[in-house]
Amino acid sequence: MSLLAKLAVYSLLATSVVCLQFPFKLPFFKQKEELLIENQLTAPVTPRIAIVGAGAAGSSAAFWISKAKERFGIDVEIDVYERASYVGGRSTIVYPYNDTTLAPMELGASIFVDANKNLMRAAKEFNLTLKDFIDEFADTGLWDGQKFNIVLNEGTYSKSWWTTLKVLWRYGYSAPVKTSDNRVKNMIADYISLYTAASPRWDDVAGLVERMNWTDFVNSTTLEYLSSKGIAEKWSREMVEAATRVNYGQDVDQIHALEGTCSLAATGASAVRDGNFLIFENFLNRSGANVYLNTEVRDILRVPASSRWIIHTTSGSRIYNAIILAAPFHHTNITVPSDLAELIPPQPYVRLHVTLLTTKSESTNPVYFGLSPDEKIPKVILTTHEGVRNGGVEPEFNSISVHGQIQKVPGSADEDPEWKVKIFSKERVSDEWLEKVFGKVGWVYRKEWDAYPVLPPTTKFPPVRLDQGFYYVNAFEPFISTMETETIASRNVVDLLLHEEFGSGICGSQLSGSETGEGNALRDEGSEDFVLGWDC
């Protein structure tokens, strides 16, 4: 057949394909994706795991996989996809005046505490310098939109005693003691079990809730739970609510009791001096993973007649043995098979406005709060919704905190010290409002984002295992949402996945077993230093 005739036949077939179905496949009709699948399925390649998201969950997932590779020789490649230009998710920093010679300010997740053993261990292992917040939270006031309900002064011995007396006078003795000594300490004691060798694996968060005996916590609002334990509502609606509003932007009669109690567990509050994101960067750097920033995952689909998955991104496509989705599904705009999408209910988030600024005013303007100009205002102002409940107005912010001084470079045109301030609010605060509250403002940086999941009482959670080889870390978020708990949830997901795909997990064939391998860190399982995943 002549070349001209061949072209004519090809043209006829090509233009008729929309109305003809062939009972067999013609080689030159194979689509690009079919060839990709065929080549990747038949080629003898190293198994690959894809992680979608490079925040706390995704970066730590890569790190946990690397621990299993190191200990037990699991042969697997890790690819991490992140649509943003940076690692850390909701943990990121900015520099005042965009000047990297100045200390950075956390824009998102700001602190972790002593009970957060993964982050504390990571900071130690990665030689990261920590800073505490003792001085910055020395003076705290609770504002209800019209008045300060109470001002807590810490620091000197006399101030500490005066603060104690004020708390006892307003709330009595039993409410603070029952909350901090009983509820919070008991919750932390149970929570710490997740770091022990006996920690369970779970593919059902509801089952974990029951196993931890936390059903009452997640089935009740914080107010309902504390009231049922005989704790005065005034304490809950003011002191406890101040904590839930600054940490999660939610009131005590909205947020479930487990997260409300977590808000009070602030012992040993710390942060990485140069930015908490450095923990997550180190997780990835030490994992050996291939990290693809500025790369959006468009869909995750099943490979026909296979247990594998294909990911399509803005930079190409690839087949994987397993997928870890480490980002809120409904925020990713990723298409997955409809039967899997139906398993993940929509998760609303609190829309938060974060305003960072510098000012030459050491504190806020007393006149704004209805006080005389010479009145001393606390450096940290938290809020409660109690004024609204009593017919008053909503506070115009969730919290204001002054975070110490910055000093410009000597010899610059303006060497006067300025104070760093962070504001959380439900709505954008205007320049005019800032001037009214702080006087002259120097540098301002605004960020609006979905900061926390909305956390009402619940009994239902998304599945951790969506399908064979497809796991969802953020199924844990309606239960507890912190940087730390994302690392615990990712450890659990990695262990489930590795057992399913390779028959061995982070610590061998059993999560709570004593099996170890070369390079495994050995510690006494009963010691306070033991942290599951880091140790086995």
Side-chain angles (χ1 to χ4, degrees):
M1 183 183 294
S2 69
L3 177 60
L4 185 60
K6 288 182 178 179
L7 290 174
V9 171
Y10 182 87
S11 176
L12 177 62
L13 290 175
T15 55
S16 303
V17 71
V18 294
C19 56
L20 294 176
Q21 293 288 335
F22 291 100
F24 55 89
K25 288 188 176 181
L26 298 177
F28 55 84
F29 263 50
K30 283 193 175 181
Q31 300 296 311
K32 182 179 180 181
E33 181 164 306
E34 289 179 311
L35 293 173
L36 169 72
I37 292 173
E38 183 177 292
N39 291 338
Q40 291 193 19
L41 286 178
T42 57
V45 296
T46 301
R48 304 187 80 90
I49 297 173
I51 300 172
V52 181
S59 62
S60 59
F63 183 74
W64 298 131
I65 295 171
S66 73
K67 284 291 188 183
K69 292 176 64 175
E70 171 191 332
R71 290 168 178 153
F72 306 108
I74 294 176
D75 187 21
V76 63
E77 286 289 321
I78 312 166
D79 293 338
V80 179
Y81 295 101
E82 172 57 58
R83 66 183 178 186
S85 60
Y86 64 92
V87 168
R90 283 171 279 177
S91 178
T92 184
I93 61 170
V94 294
Y95 292 93
Y97 295 99
N98 201 30
D99 183 348
T100 56
T101 67
L102 301 176
M105 297 181 69
E106 290 283 356
L107 186 58
S110 299
I111 65 170
F112 47 96
V113 299
D114 284 346
N116 297 157
K117 290 196 171 189
N118 283 334
L119 297 184
M120 284 293 185
R121 180 69 172 270
K124 181 179 179 180
E125 296 277 345
F126 303 155
N127 296 315
L128 300 175
T129 301
L130 297 182
K131 63 176 181 178
D132 62 47
F133 291 86
I134 294 175
D135 293 335
E136 292 186 7
F137 290 90
D139 300 309
T140 301
L142 269 61
W143 174 251
D144 70 0
Q146 293 176 292
K147 66 183 184 304
F148 282 106
N149 291 327
I150 190 170
V151 175
L152 308 174
N153 306 108
E154 297 292 345
T156 66
Y157 181 77
S158 60
K159 281 185 176 180
S160 179
W161 267 106
W162 178 237
T163 294
T164 301
L165 288 173
K166 285 194 290 186
V167 170
L168 293 176
W169 178 263
R170 187 168 183 83
Y171 305 111
Y173 175 78
S174 64
V177 172
K178 283 183 178 180
T179 305
S180 61
D181 287 0
N182 296 342
R183 303 303 150 200
V184 176
K185 287 184 178 178
N186 290 342
M187 183 275 293
I188 291 176
D190 293 337
Y191 164 81
I192 291 297
S193 69
L194 295 174
Y195 299 103
T196 68
S199 175
R201 289 194 303 270
W202 63 89
D203 56 13
D204 175 16
V205 177
L208 177 66
V209 171
E210 186 174 346
R211 180 163 180 166
M212 299 291 289
N213 199 28
W214 282 351
T215 302
D216 287 346
F217 271 122
V218 298
N219 282 358
S220 310
T221 68
T222 302
L223 181 62
E224 290 169 343
Y225 177 81
L226 294 179
S227 297
S228 73
K229 303 302 178 182
I231 295 171
E233 286 197 7
K234 190 173 190 178
W235 168 263
S236 300
R237 291 180 184 274
E238 292 183 4
M239 294 294 287
V240 178
E241 187 161 83
T244 62
R245 284 170 68 92
V246 69
N247 286 305
Y248 293 102
Q250 293 161 74
D251 299 331
V252 289
D253 50 8
Q254 298 172 332
I255 192 169
H256 67 61
L258 181 59
E259 203 71 281
T261 307
C262 286
S263 297
L264 301 172
T267 302
S270 302
V272 176
R273 182 191 63 192
D274 297 322
N276 293 327
F277 76 96
L278 290 173
I279 291 178
F280 311 123
E281 279 197 351
N282 271 275
F283 277 152
L284 288 177
N285 291 340
R286 293 163 189 260
S287 72
N290 307 300
V291 181
Y292 302 97
L293 300 179
N294 297 303
T295 304
E296 186 169 359
V297 174
R298 290 174 172 167
D299 54 52
I300 304 171
L301 303 173
R302 295 182 178 98
V303 174
S306 169
S307 61
R308 299 190 194 180
W309 301 86
I310 186 167
I311 282 185
H312 298 99
T313 75
T314 49
S315 61
S317 303
R318 187 147 210 167
I319 290 178
Y320 290 93
N321 297 71
I323 307 292
I324 296 175
L325 180 54
F329 170 65
H330 292 282
H331 280 60
T332 63
N333 297 318
I334 295 173
T335 299
V336 301
S338 59
D339 60 316
L340 302 187
E342 292 170 357
L343 298 175
I344 309 175
Q347 172 61 63
Y349 277 72
V350 174
R351 195 71 175 170
L352 187 74
H353 291 258
V354 180
T355 307
L356 307 180
L357 62 95
T358 62
T359 175
K360 293 181 179 179
S361 301
E362 185 175 347
S363 65
T364 51
N365 182 2
V367 175
Y368 171 80
F369 297 99
L371 303 174
S372 61
D374 58 348
E375 193 86 23
K376 181 176 174 56
I377 299 295
K379 290 186 177 181
V380 177
I381 304 172
L382 306 181
T383 60
T384 171
H385 196 66
E386 191 65 353
V388 178
R389 297 186 185 104
N390 294 322
V393 297
E394 173 79 13
E396 294 182 298
F397 55 90
N398 289 358
S399 64
I400 296 176
S401 51
V402 179
H403 290 270
Q405 291 182 347
I406 64 170
Q407 181 71 49
K408 295 184 179 179
V409 178
S412 61
D414 185 0
E415 296 181 21
D416 291 340
E418 289 186 300
W419 297 83
K420 297 180 293 184
V421 178
K422 178 183 288 188
I423 304 170
F424 291 163
S425 59
K426 295 180 180 179
E427 304 291 339
R428 183 184 188 275
V429 293
S430 66
D431 291 341
E432 293 75 18
W433 187 88
L434 292 177
E435 185 175 351
K436 179 171 64 175
V437 175
F438 294 99
K440 185 177 180 181
V441 173
W443 164 82
V444 178
Y445 186 97
R446 292 180 173 88
K447 173 72 175 180
E448 178 185 357
W449 57 3
D450 293 331
Y452 334 102
V454 176
L455 297 166
T458 185
T459 57
K460 297 181 179 180
F461 303 90
V464 175
R465 182 184 183 273
L466 296 173
D467 199 353
Q468 180 178 346
F470 195 162
Y471 289 85
Y472 184 41
V473 180
N474 289 66
F476 207 70
E477 268 206 309
F479 178 48
I480 309 178
S481 178
T482 66
M483 292 186 290
E484 176 71 15
T485 51
E486 289 296 282
T487 70
I488 295 174
S490 70
R491 186 199 69 203
N492 174 69
V493 158
V494 166
D495 210 61
L496 290 173
L497 184 156
L498 294 180
H499 274 82
E500 180 177 66
E501 295 294 324
F502 301 97
S504 182
I506 299 170
C507 287
S509 59
Q510 295 294 326
L511 186 68
S512 58
S514 59
E515 182 179 350
T516 59
E518 185 177 355
N520 186 18
L522 296 175
R523 289 175 186 257
D524 180 2
E525 293 178 5
S527 75
E528 291 186 0
D529 292 336
F530 183 90
V531 182
L532 184 62
W534 296 90
D535 310 308
C536 291

